[in-house]
Amino acid sequence: MTQTGPGENPIHPTRTDRELDVVLFGATGFTGKLVAEYLARHYGNSDLRWALAGRNLDKLAAVRAELAGIAPALSDLPLLIADSSDRRALEDVARRTRVVCSTVGPYAVHGSELVAACVACGTDYCDLTGEPQWIRRMIDAHADSARASGARIVHCCGFDSIPSDLGTYLVQQHAIEHFGAPCNEVKVFVTKLRGGASGGTIASMLGVMEEATRDSAVRRILSDPYCLNPEGERTGPDGRDPTSVRRDPDLPGWTGPFVMAAINTRVVRRTNALLGYRYGRDFRYAELSAFPNDARGFLRATGQTLGIGAFMAAAVVRPIRSLLAKKVLPKPGQGPSAEQRRRGKFEMCVVGKRSGAAPVFARVVGHSDPGYGETSIMLAESALCLARDGVVPECPSGVLTPASAMGEKLLARLRRAGMIFEITPERCYN
């Protein structure tokens, strides 16, 4: 393994002897390269001490050469070799750094040993998973040991689920600070969404469906709105996610299901529990796609809803799932072009309601492809926040969520990076 130069900047009080701030694991994959490029462009000439990690030295060296074209100082960026199934090598990586940032999915296939290594070494960790059944396994296996070792294991640090989690956190903090109590209900309406999918994301989705078709326990987890809450606290007022086209009293238009609600809603509810029910034990949360208040909006909502239903129905049938993966859907390593990523965007309207009081509104906006352009920003800044910005006193360690682990610190970073998280005086959907 390549060694970095001498010198230590003791940013994290419990890891002052660590050689590196961040290791990017999976740097040769589609999303991994985007995260590496973001770090190179924005931190390549800074004092950030980081490294690339993966299983293929030649591919890592090729990525490093590309990064050196962005920031020449990165020509000697450390390269660390470890396979996702090699626990000993993964622990060697984890011991050298404050944070491991992983883009190696599907995480249910490739992620478990890395999480275990970080927990064992007291190393912070963040990833992009949207696989509820795997997160539940990580919670059940590592929640206690991560608290004991001081590791912060933070899943879902991309488009799923930072906009939802931090958007809700923003609304609730505003309500508490200005009105003395949290909102007992929050809804997120996805008002604009333009972006593509990579082969890695598709592989993760199909992996979830594969597990669900063969294991009834996985199906029960996926259908449980509180499946990611701490053990003994997996009940609450919310039911299953909406699956039909309907009108909503908080929106002047039509709504339909949002495909990522299946993970985002669970993460927001876990945040509430981890923060000692800061949002209240009667807190309700929902997430929906929003459409205009006309016939065209109804048709769009209906078309999207039918499309989601048709895909899910097809994906549970093994021969069709296999055919889709081989012939129709993008392969791992493939994804939207740079121009497609540049043209992407997303916008969410967050509505917080309190009994007998005026609602609280917030807007969350990303200015490029949500799953790749904005996700690379969110994951990179999450890793840096864990490495450099200290701990949230309520949640200093454990298997956490973005808002419970980083809260205001991550909000500040993402705003500086160009994302919009703002309280608005009125509803932000017209």
Side-chain angles (χ1 to χ4, degrees):
M1 296 183 183
T2 306
Q3 298 291 323
T4 58
E8 181 70 23
N9 182 15
I11 297 165
H12 195 299
T14 64
R15 298 176 181 86
T16 56
D17 60 341
R18 300 293 171 96
E19 169 189 349
L20 298 166
D21 296 323
V22 175
V23 168
L24 176 58
F25 190 76
T28 62
F30 187 84
T31 305
K33 288 180 181 178
L34 295 179
V35 176
E37 289 171 7
Y38 176 84
L39 289 171
R41 294 186 187 281
H42 295 273
Y43 298 95
N45 295 312
S46 73
D47 63 348
L48 178 68
R49 296 166 304 133
W50 59 298
L52 306 179
R55 64 182 181 179
N56 188 303
L57 180 60
D58 291 339
K59 290 182 178 180
L60 288 171
V63 173
R64 179 172 64 181
E66 293 176 6
L67 300 180
I70 298 171
L74 300 179
S75 59
D76 61 352
L77 193 68
L79 305 179
L80 313 182
I81 308 305
D83 187 273
S84 63
S85 62
D86 187 341
R87 175 67 174 273
R88 182 173 180 177
L90 294 172
E91 288 193 6
D92 287 344
V93 169
R95 289 191 189 97
R96 297 178 64 175
T97 186
R98 294 187 170 95
V99 178
V100 174
C101 173
S102 176
T103 62
V104 180
Y107 290 90
V109 177
H110 302 296
S112 299
E113 290 295 335
L114 181 55
V115 171
C118 288
V119 171
C121 297
T123 300
D124 292 341
Y125 164 96
C126 57
D127 67 27
L128 295 171
T129 186
E131 302 159 61
Q133 85 291 357
W134 179 71
I135 298 172
R136 171 63 175 271
R137 287 201 286 271
M138 296 301 97
I139 292 168
D140 292 346
H142 300 299
D144 292 339
S145 51
R147 282 193 293 269
S149 74
R152 290 176 291 176
I153 306 301
V154 190
H155 302 297
C156 304
C157 291
F159 187 53
D160 47 347
S161 302
I162 280 178
S164 306
D165 198 24
L166 287 186
T168 300
Y169 178 89
L170 175 65
V171 162
Q172 295 290 33
Q173 289 296 97
H174 181 86
I176 292 168
E177 291 170 8
H178 289 80
F179 308 112
C183 299
N184 51 23
E185 181 178 11
V186 169
K187 295 179 184 177
V188 167
F189 297 103
V190 183
T191 58
K192 296 178 182 178
L193 184 65
R194 184 166 65 239
S198 81
T201 297
I202 295 299
S204 292
M205 293 176 61
L206 294 179
V208 172
M209 301 305 296
E210 170 70 23
E211 284 197 54
T213 57
R214 67 173 187 259
D215 190 337
S216 60
V218 170
R219 293 195 295 274
R220 287 193 295 272
I221 288 172
L222 295 177
S223 65
D224 181 357
Y226 293 92
C227 66
L228 301 186
N229 272 33
E231 185 177 3
E233 301 179 54
R234 291 172 180 155
T235 60
D238 281 322
R240 296 191 177 188
D241 302 317
T243 58
S244 62
V245 176
R246 62 178 187 174
R247 291 189 180 276
D248 190 282
D250 298 308
L251 185 81
W254 296 97
T255 67
F258 180 49
V259 67
M260 292 168 61
I263 181 63
N264 294 342
T265 56
R266 278 70 171 166
V267 169
V268 171
R269 293 174 191 130
R270 180 168 176 81
T271 291
N272 183 36
L274 292 176
L275 292 177
Y277 292 94
R278 184 179 296 176
Y279 309 163
R281 288 190 174 271
D282 61 345
F283 170 67
R284 301 179 66 95
Y285 179 79
E287 202 163 282
L288 299 156
S289 294
F291 301 91
N293 188 28
D294 54 23
R296 184 178 176 184
F298 173 76
L299 291 175
R300 285 175 56 197
T302 301
Q304 177 174 298
T305 301
L306 292 174
I308 293 172
F311 177 80
M312 294 300 184
V316 300
V317 181
R318 180 173 295 176
I320 298 178
R321 184 170 62 247
S322 178
L323 182 64
L324 289 171
K326 291 179 180 178
K327 302 293 186 181
V328 179
L329 300 170
K331 307 294 188 295
Q334 299 176 340
S337 68
E339 177 59 22
Q340 289 171 325
R341 296 195 302 271
R342 186 190 65 79
R343 293 200 306 264
K345 72 175 301 181
F346 77 88
E347 186 163 344
M348 296 177 171
C349 181
V350 187
V351 181
K353 298 168 66 176
R354 300 170 298 118
S355 300
V360 178
F361 301 103
R363 192 166 70 112
V364 181
V365 180
H367 303 289
S368 65
D369 181 288
Y372 300 94
E374 297 304 297
T375 281
S376 64
I377 295 171
M378 288 184 270
L379 182 61
E381 294 293 347
S382 293
L384 295 174
C385 190
L386 290 170
R388 296 196 150 191
D389 295 346
V391 300
V392 172
E394 301 97 322
C395 297
S397 61
V399 181
L400 306 175
T401 60
S404 64
M406 296 173 278
E408 295 287 347
K409 300 173 188 295
L410 184 56
L411 274 173
R413 278 190 170 273
L414 295 179
R415 285 166 171 156
R416 289 196 298 269
M419 292 185 68
I420 296 174
F421 288 85
E422 64 179 7
I423 299 294
T424 61
E426 56 188 12
R427 62 177 170 82
C428 44
Y429 179 70
N430 297 313

